[in-house]
Amino acid sequence: MGNRRVVIDPITRIEGHLRIEVEVDENNVVQKAYSSSTLWRGIELILKGRDPRDAGLMAQRICGVCTYSHYKAGVEAVENALGVEAPYNARLVRSLLNESLYMHDHVVHFYHLHGLDWVDVVSALSADPAKASKLAFKYSDSPIATGTDELTAVQKRVKEFVDKGQLGPFANAYWGNGTYKFSPEQNLIALSHYLKALEVQRVAAQMFAIFGAKQPHPQSLVVGGVTCVRDILSPTRLAQWKEKYKIVKDFIDRAYQADIIMAAEAYGTEETVLGGVGVKNFLAADAFMLNRTENLFQSGYIKNGDLSQVYDIDDMKIEEDVTHAWYKGTTPLQPYDGVTDPEYTGFIDGDTVNGEAKIIDETQKYSWVKAPRYDGEAMEVGPLSCLLVNYARGNKKVQNEVGAFLKRTGLPVGALFTTLGRTAARMLQTKLISDNAIITFNSLVENIKSDDSTYTKFEINPDKEYTGRFIGEVPRGTLSHWVRIKNGLIENYQAVVPTTWNAGPMDGNGTIGPYEASLVGLKLEDPAKPLEVLRVIHSFDPCMSCSVHVMDMKGVELSEFKVTPMSSGAAC
C-alpha cells in the first residue's frame, strides 16, 4: 500500500490561514509534509510610493496580532535608513512595549491556542477537585486558581456546556486521543488556568496600552522617537504600568511556569513530542534594552544543533526563494532587491484519507509564503532559537533559567530540541522577560529625572537614495523589514517575518523548511484525527495572517477597493 495523504485545512487556533498536508505510510508514520499559506499578503506593495514616515503605521496592518512588532520594525527600518537614533527614553519605552507584548502574547499562545494540544478538557470533568488542589503544590509553592472550591466551580462550569451537548470554545477537538498524558486532576488544574488566563491577558493588554496608546494597533511611535510624553512623565501612569505588570508576572510565575513543569513530567516519555525539530539551524536577533549597556538577548545563529559555537549574522546573507511559492521567479533575492509579483497556480485533484479532494502539487508552486534562507540554509526562528543562541553565547541569565528548568524537570539539554522543548522555551523566554522588564522600567524612571527628551529631529533629502533595515526579536521569532527610499518616497519594501522562516515551502535546491522537516517521522495514532500534527505546528505559534485579502478559488473578482493616498504631511 502506498502512502496516504492527510489534509488539515485550515489549521485552527492560529492567526491566519495555514494548510498542512502529510503523507503517511502503512504504519501511520509521516514520510513527507507540505506547508501552505492560502491567503496572500500584499502590504509591501501598498507601501511603495508612500511617505517613509508612515511606514510603521501602515506596516502594522500586516497583522492583527503582531501589530506592534511590524509597527516598530517599520519605524526603525526607516530610522536605520536615515541614520536617525531615537533618544534613550524613547528606546526604553519601545523596549517596555515589546516586553509587555511578549507577556501578553505568550500567555495567550500557550493557554488559548496551544494548550488544548496538551490538555484534554473532557478528562478534567472526571477529576477530583480536592486531589487536584493538593497536586497543584507539586508544581508551584504558591499555586494560583487551584483551590478546591475554585476547581469545583470550573468543573461545574464546563460540565454545564457538555450537558447541553456543546463544548463552546472547546468544541471540535480530538478529545480522548491516546497521546494526551495529563491525569484528570492535571487537566483540571490547566483548565482552571486557561480560564484565569482570559482575565490576565486583558490586564497585559492594558499594560501595553499605557505607553502604546492603543492595543492591538498602537499609535505612539514615530520615526525619531515616541509621542507618549505625558504618560512617561506622569507618576500615575508609571504606577499603573507597574501594578498591571505585577499581576501578569504573578500569573507567569505561579501558573504558566508550573503548568510547563507539569507538562514536562507528564509528557517526558511521550514519543510524539520528543521529536519535532527537523531543522537544527537556529537564528536569533538582539532584543530588550534593559539599560544603556545591556540587552537581555543577543543575536547570532548556530548550525546543526551545535551549542559549542555561535556565529554572527551577516545581513546580506539573508535571501528569499520563491521556486515553490506563488510568486514569479526562481532566483533567490536579498530583501533589499526583493520582488513580490504573484503567480497563483492552485491545487490539483487527489486522494486523501477522507476521500477525493484538492491537494498540493509539491512539484510546482504551493504556498503564498516565500522560503527565507541564510547563506543558503533553512533556519528555525522563535523562542527556542533565542534561548539556544543565547545559551550557546554564554548569556548567564539564559543559562541560569534554562539550567534551573532542566534540573527541576530532570530533562537533559537534548530535550530542548523537541516539540516539548519548543513549548517550554516559550515559557522560559516569558519568564526571563517578566523577571527583567522591571529593569527597563527602572532605567526609564531614573533617566527621566534629568532627561525628558523623546524625539530626534531629522530630514529626508529627496535627492538622496537611502536603504535601511530592522532586524529584531518579536514573539514568534526574528523579524526583519527592509526599505529602499528614493525621491523622498518608499521605492521598495520587504518584510521577512518569523513565520515565513518557519513555514516556508521547499526551495529551489529541494531543501524543506522547519514546519515540513519537523513533521517527517512523526507517528500518528489515527490519521483521521491528527492531533500530533497540530501539537507540532502549534508549538511554533504560527502567524500566517498578514493579509486582509479574500480569494475565490475560481478566480472570480469579489470586490474592488480604492485606497486614497495618504497626505505627505508630517507623521508626528
Side-chain angles (χ1 to χ4, degrees):
M1 185 172 66
N3 291 343
R4 295 169 295 158
R5 187 166 297 218
V6 178
V7 178
I8 310 175
D9 184 15
I11 297 281
T12 58
R13 293 187 182 277
I14 66 168
E15 173 57 31
H17 297 75
L18 173 64
R19 176 189 184 104
I20 293 291
E21 296 186 15
V22 297
E23 292 182 11
V24 297
D25 64 13
E26 63 276 16
N27 297 313
N28 295 336
V29 176
V30 175
Q31 301 298 311
K32 295 180 180 178
Y34 313 108
S35 168
S36 173
S37 179
T38 54
L39 280 181
W40 181 48
R41 180 193 73 212
I43 291 289
E44 288 109 322
L45 300 185
I46 294 174
L47 277 158
K48 286 187 175 182
R50 304 286 180 166
D51 189 318
R53 292 169 295 184
D54 295 330
L57 285 168
M58 300 184 75
Q60 72 169 283
R61 260 60 187 183
I62 282 177
C63 183
V65 174
C66 314
T67 55
Y68 177 69
S69 302
H70 292 293
Y71 186 22
K72 180 172 179 285
V75 167
E76 295 194 359
V78 173
E79 288 177 346
N80 181 255
L82 301 178
V84 177
E85 181 175 71
Y88 182 46
N89 286 331
R91 286 178 283 139
L92 287 170
V93 167
R94 291 178 185 182
S95 186
L96 273 177
L97 285 167
N98 210 23
E99 289 156 352
S100 301
L101 176 67
Y102 267 74
M103 292 169 68
H104 176 270
D105 188 279
H106 284 357
V107 166
V108 170
H109 170 256
F110 179 68
Y111 287 99
H112 306 136
L113 302 179
H114 188 29
L116 299 184
D117 300 332
W118 307 84
V119 181
D120 188 333
V121 172
V122 176
S123 165
L125 300 180
S126 61
D128 179 338
K131 185 178 176 182
S133 181
K134 184 178 180 181
L135 180 64
F137 284 91
K138 181 178 181 181
Y139 310 109
S140 170
D141 295 336
S142 180
I144 189 172
T146 54
T148 302
D149 291 346
E150 196 161 5
L151 292 175
T152 300
V154 167
Q155 202 174 37
K156 180 182 178 184
R157 185 176 173 184
V158 175
K159 190 173 186 303
E160 287 174 352
F161 277 117
V162 176
D163 290 343
K164 292 178 183 177
Q166 53 182 280
L167 271 171
F170 308 122
N172 299 321
Y174 301 137
W175 308 127
N177 185 292
T179 62
Y180 278 121
K181 295 301 178 185
F182 278 152
S183 68
E185 285 70 29
Q186 290 172 322
N187 280 313
L188 182 57
I189 292 170
L191 178 59
S192 180
H193 288 162
Y194 176 105
L195 298 176
K196 185 69 176 177
L198 292 171
E199 302 172 16
V200 173
Q201 64 92 17
R202 183 181 68 244
V203 177
Q206 293 168 341
M207 178 174 65
F208 177 92
I210 287 173
F211 298 123
K214 291 182 179 179
Q215 168 71 307
H217 288 288
Q219 300 290 313
S220 61
L221 268 60
V222 292
V223 175
V226 295
T227 61
C228 50
V229 183
R230 295 183 65 180
D231 299 305
I232 297 171
L233 299 178
S234 166
T236 300
R237 297 292 278 171
L238 292 170
Q240 286 176 342
W241 184 91
K242 196 170 182 180
E243 185 62 29
K244 294 180 187 303
Y245 160 78
K246 288 179 179 176
I247 294 172
V248 181
K249 175 172 166 45
D250 186 59
F251 180 82
I252 292 166
D253 289 344
R254 298 165 63 194
Y256 192 4
Q257 180 177 229
D259 288 343
I260 295 298
I261 291 172
M262 186 168 72
E265 175 190 273
Y267 284 85
T269 58
E270 169 53 45
E271 291 293 331
T272 60
V273 302
L274 298 181
V277 177
V279 172
K280 292 191 174 182
N281 304 321
F282 299 91
L283 182 145
D286 287 316
F288 303 113
M289 183 180 195
L290 301 180
N291 50 48
R292 290 186 187 274
T293 61
E294 184 182 10
N295 282 347
L296 179 57
F297 301 128
Q298 289 79 50
S299 66
Y301 70 96
I302 60 175
K303 299 176 65 174
N304 302 316
D306 181 5
L307 294 173
S308 68
Q309 190 164 9
V310 185
Y311 303 89
D312 294 332
I313 296 173
D314 178 351
D315 300 355
M316 300 310 289
K317 291 184 177 179
I318 295 175
E319 293 181 325
E320 290 193 295
D321 185 291
V322 296
T323 303
H324 288 279
W326 282 314
Y327 300 97
K328 294 178 181 176
T330 56
T331 303
L333 295 174
Q334 209 279 336
Y336 279 134
D337 301 314
V339 175
T340 303
D341 194 357
E343 184 181 41
Y344 181 67
T345 56
F347 296 87
I348 60 174
D349 295 324
D351 293 325
T352 75
V353 295
N354 293 314
E356 293 186 358
K358 293 290 184 183
I359 63 172
I360 287 170
D361 180 0
E362 65 274 13
T363 66
Q364 303 297 322
K365 296 175 180 288
Y366 61 88
S367 177
W368 284 113
V369 173
K370 297 179 181 179
R373 294 291 182 263
Y374 182 86
D375 200 16
E377 297 195 52
M379 294 274 166
E380 178 174 332
V381 301
L384 177 59
S385 298
C386 178
L387 291 198
L388 290 175
V389 166
N390 280 273
Y391 190 89
R393 278 270 185 217
N395 182 320
K396 292 301 180 187
K397 286 185 169 68
V398 171
Q399 287 186 335
N400 291 340
E401 194 66 42
V402 171
F405 175 77
L406 295 176
K407 183 178 180 181
R408 173 75 184 266
T409 59
L411 295 173
V413 173
L416 296 173
F417 297 91
T418 63
T419 298
L420 176 61
R422 189 181 294 114
T423 299
R426 188 167 264 99
M427 179 279 291
L428 292 168
Q429 189 186 50
T430 316
K431 182 76 168 61
L432 281 158
I433 292 166
S434 63
D435 285 347
N436 289 279
I438 194 64
I439 299 177
T440 306
F441 178 80
N442 289 337
S443 295
L444 176 65
V445 171
E446 186 62 29
N447 194 63
I448 58 178
K449 293 176 181 176
S450 58
D451 170 20
D452 62 359
S453 59
T454 55
Y455 180 71
T456 301
K457 291 183 178 179
F458 64 92
E459 293 183 353
I460 302 177
N461 184 345
D463 297 325
K464 185 177 177 181
E465 184 172 336
Y466 304 89
T467 57
R469 91 289 182 270
F470 163 87
I471 299 180
E473 283 295 295
V474 298
R476 290 166 180 81
T478 304
L479 169 69
S480 59
H481 281 210
W482 309 73
V483 62
R484 184 185 299 277
I485 301 169
K486 189 175 182 180
N487 299 323
L489 299 174
I490 295 173
E491 183 186 52
N492 196 20
Y493 200 95
Q494 293 289 317
V496 184
V497 309
T499 297
T500 315
W501 281 100
N502 293 331
M506 187 189 319
D507 64 23
N509 294 321
T511 302
I512 59 177
Y515 278 17
E516 295 179 347
S518 294
L519 291 170
V520 174
L522 182 68
K523 182 176 174 59
L524 308 185
E525 182 184 77
D526 180 357
K529 299 178 180 178
L531 170 66
E532 301 88 339
V533 173
L534 295 179
R535 195 179 281 139
V536 172
I537 295 299
H538 282 158
S539 71
F540 286 93
D541 193 8
C543 190
M544 314 304 300
S545 81
C546 312
S547 170
V548 291
H549 301 268
V550 179
M551 180 178 67
D552 183 275
M553 295 297 290
K554 296 180 180 179
V556 177
E557 185 174 290
L558 300 177
S559 60
E560 182 176 340
F561 300 89
K562 181 178 181 180
V563 180
T564 303
M566 297 175 69
S567 166
S568 60
C572 47

